[in-house]
Amino acid sequence: MEIKEKHTEKAYKEKEQLSCPLLKQGCGGCPMLALPYEEQLRKKQKKIKKLLGNFGKPQPIIGMENPWHYRNKAISTFTYAQGRQVKSGIYVQGTHHVIPVENCLLHHPALDEAVRAVRKAVREFKYPVYDEDRKTGLVRHILVRHSLAEDQILAVLVTSSPVLPGAKAFAKRVRQLCPRITTLVQNINERSTSAVLGYKERILYGKGYIQDTLCGIRFRISGSSFYQINPVQTEILYRTAAEAAGLDKSQTVLDAYCGVGTIGLSAASRAKKVIGVELNKSAVRCAWENARENGIQNAQFLCADATDFIRKMAAKGERADVVFMDPPRAGSTPEFLRAVSSMRPEKIVYVSCNPETQKRDLELLTKDGWQVKLIQGVDMFPHTEGIETVVSLARK
């Protein structure tokens, strides 16, 4: 089976002798770690063909040149180890038992460095660890994000209470331990829930966000922002989507499920106009800020339900030439897909992180007169079973 050679044998050999001790302890973060990377790509290509092959011949999956340390985001949960020493790590798969983690083969090394710094400061300030059963303690999680372009780190300390004794001194100590942390945020999660982040936060140091560059566009990244975790492959993913759309600066592009505008803004230079639609108000505000900071004047973002918005466009006789859609893992809805068809765009470009729900949606679209023109897999998550696919469709 042909695979696009975007990785090297050397990259795997540098790591193939390494064994991860976390596997034996129940970590489920890298279920394909034992397989050579070439074999991982073959398995993923086979799955794409099985799920989507009836719609057309899938192109060879695009793998990574160096499939290690690609993650730009990590979450570490606090726990007590032997002797009541504060540790932090990852949950054992399917449980709430925490395995202490010092290093991860998928994290950018800066993430582990930042986690160690925050954890050390927590020990020094003697903050108690939150106990889920007793609902006691203070510190719950550390969330860290890294900007590959700027080499900056955002660190978020999640607490069960807004009261953080010695907060200014704590922030200063964290910065001493890890100068790459350019902003430190306290997030307050007072809920008895498995959700990591709460709704309230305060900035302890810096601006409260970092910036990264993707496809030549600078984006703000906060603790709660949706932002792809693999910046190297995301460039390939979005470039593939833009090329599949065949943009030549004459088209109006509708970016449904637009989030903070990553796909729409990255395609704006090739389009006449970009309209982004998103239900999350915070994401829409970020999308406007990202457009303004990059001087992009041919993009607008609206807070609305995408299905209702498209129906209203169609009722007014308005249309978009190209529709980008990047729905959550659950996929789209029949109502949305029918609304898109009623607007009669020239092309649909469907980006998915779940080819199983994508298959279901493609069946509806093909029955409604659409034809699949491209199926392209991109390996966004090496050593895991995750698959990202770009599918373009045109009217028959």
Side-chain angles (χ1 to χ4, degrees):
M1 183 180 295
E2 182 187 6
I3 301 292
K4 283 193 178 179
E5 295 294 341
K6 288 290 184 180
H7 64 281
T8 64
E9 193 66 24
K10 179 184 176 184
Y12 183 75
K13 286 183 176 179
E14 288 174 350
K15 296 287 183 179
E16 66 180 344
Q17 300 302 321
L18 296 178
S19 60
C20 182
L22 301 177
L23 284 173
K24 295 180 180 179
Q25 298 179 55
C27 176
C30 305
M32 301 180 82
L33 188 63
L35 289 178
Y37 188 51
E38 186 76 23
E39 181 61 25
Q40 293 180 33
L41 293 177
R42 273 195 285 267
K43 286 177 71 72
K44 292 182 180 185
Q45 181 76 8
K46 185 177 179 181
K47 184 173 182 179
I48 293 170
K49 183 178 181 181
K50 180 181 178 181
L51 289 170
L52 306 181
N54 287 341
F55 303 107
K57 183 180 178 181
Q59 295 298 305
I61 190 170
I62 303 174
M64 285 196 78
E65 182 178 352
N66 183 3
W68 305 97
H69 301 298
Y70 58 83
R71 285 188 63 98
N72 60 13
K73 175 185 174 182
I75 297 169
S76 192
T77 300
F78 282 105
T79 187
Y80 282 121
Q82 291 180 344
R84 299 284 289 178
Q85 185 182 26
V86 173
K87 294 278 189 179
S88 69
I90 190 171
Y91 287 119
V92 173
Q93 196 170 19
T95 77
H96 271 217
H97 173 69
V98 177
I99 310 167
V101 176
E102 291 296 321
N103 298 284
C104 175
L105 294 174
L106 302 192
H107 295 168
H108 189 287
L111 298 179
D112 293 328
E113 176 189 339
V115 168
R116 286 193 294 268
V118 175
R119 188 170 58 219
K120 181 175 174 59
V122 164
R123 288 175 185 161
E124 292 177 358
F125 279 70
K126 295 183 169 54
Y127 293 149
V129 170
Y130 181 74
D131 187 302
E132 289 182 329
D133 297 324
R134 296 186 177 90
K135 307 296 185 291
T136 59
L138 179 62
V139 291
R140 300 180 71 150
H141 312 282
I142 314 163
L143 182 151
V144 286
R145 309 189 81 149
H146 177 251
S147 162
L148 189 62
E150 307 289 340
D151 195 26
Q152 298 176 344
I153 300 171
L154 160 72
V156 180
L157 180 70
V158 184
T159 64
S160 61
S161 164
V163 179
L164 185 67
K168 288 186 178 180
F170 174 78
K172 183 178 180 181
R173 180 58 177 149
V174 168
R175 284 274 299 154
Q176 289 173 344
L177 293 168
C178 183
R180 277 202 279 188
I181 296 178
T182 56
T183 189
L184 178 65
V185 175
Q186 178 193 3
N187 179 276
I188 298 99
N189 185 357
E190 300 175 289
R191 299 173 293 164
S192 298
T193 173
S194 59
V196 172
L197 296 177
Y199 300 120
K200 301 175 184 177
E201 64 180 35
R202 64 169 174 154
I203 299 170
L204 303 181
Y205 177 83
K207 296 179 179 179
Y209 63 87
I210 55 176
Q211 290 185 305
D212 198 16
T213 301
L214 195 65
C215 299
I217 308 296
R218 286 172 64 81
F219 292 97
R220 286 189 181 190
I221 309 169
S222 67
S224 59
S225 297
F226 171 77
Y227 194 71
Q228 293 279 8
I229 63 166
N230 186 334
V232 174
Q233 292 296 87
T234 299
E235 291 254 358
I236 295 171
L237 181 75
Y238 288 174
R239 189 164 61 243
T240 300
E243 289 172 356
L247 300 178
D248 60 10
K249 296 189 177 183
S250 67
Q251 298 94 342
T252 295
V253 172
L254 177 65
D255 182 8
Y257 311 97
C258 73
V260 297
T262 47
I263 294 180
L265 290 174
S266 65
S269 64
R270 307 186 191 194
K272 178 182 177 181
K273 181 181 180 182
V274 172
I275 304 170
V277 184
E278 170 62 51
L279 201 54
N280 184 298
K281 291 182 181 179
S282 175
V284 172
R285 284 196 297 269
C286 287
W288 276 111
E289 289 170 359
N290 289 329
R292 187 163 50 250
E293 288 190 5
N294 287 278
I296 296 174
Q297 299 180 350
N298 65 334
Q300 61 178 344
F301 299 94
L302 304 169
C303 185
D305 176 80
T307 303
D308 291 341
F309 179 80
I310 293 172
R311 282 174 176 163
K312 290 175 182 177
M313 281 187 70
K316 294 176 183 177
E318 299 174 354
R319 63 188 293 271
D321 301 297
V322 176
V323 174
F324 283 111
M325 50 184 292
D326 186 5
R329 286 191 60 80
S332 190
T333 65
E335 293 78 16
F336 174 85
L337 299 173
R338 283 194 290 268
V340 169
S341 288
S342 70
M343 192 173 57
R344 301 191 66 81
E346 295 174 5
K347 290 184 180 180
I348 299 173
V349 180
Y350 188 159
V351 180
S352 173
C353 61
N354 186 350
E356 293 183 359
T357 55
Q358 189 179 39
K359 174 189 175 184
R360 177 201 67 202
D361 294 344
L362 291 177
E363 287 171 350
L364 287 172
L365 287 169
T366 52
K367 286 178 183 177
D368 203 19
W370 291 90
Q371 185 174 14
V372 170
K373 295 294 187 180
L374 171 75
I375 304 171
Q376 177 67 71
V378 179
D379 190 23
M380 296 282 288
F381 319 106
H383 313 295
T384 79
E385 295 174 346
I387 301 174
E388 198 95 9
T389 47
V390 176
V391 173
S392 70
L393 304 98
R395 279 284 178 186
K396 287 183 181 178

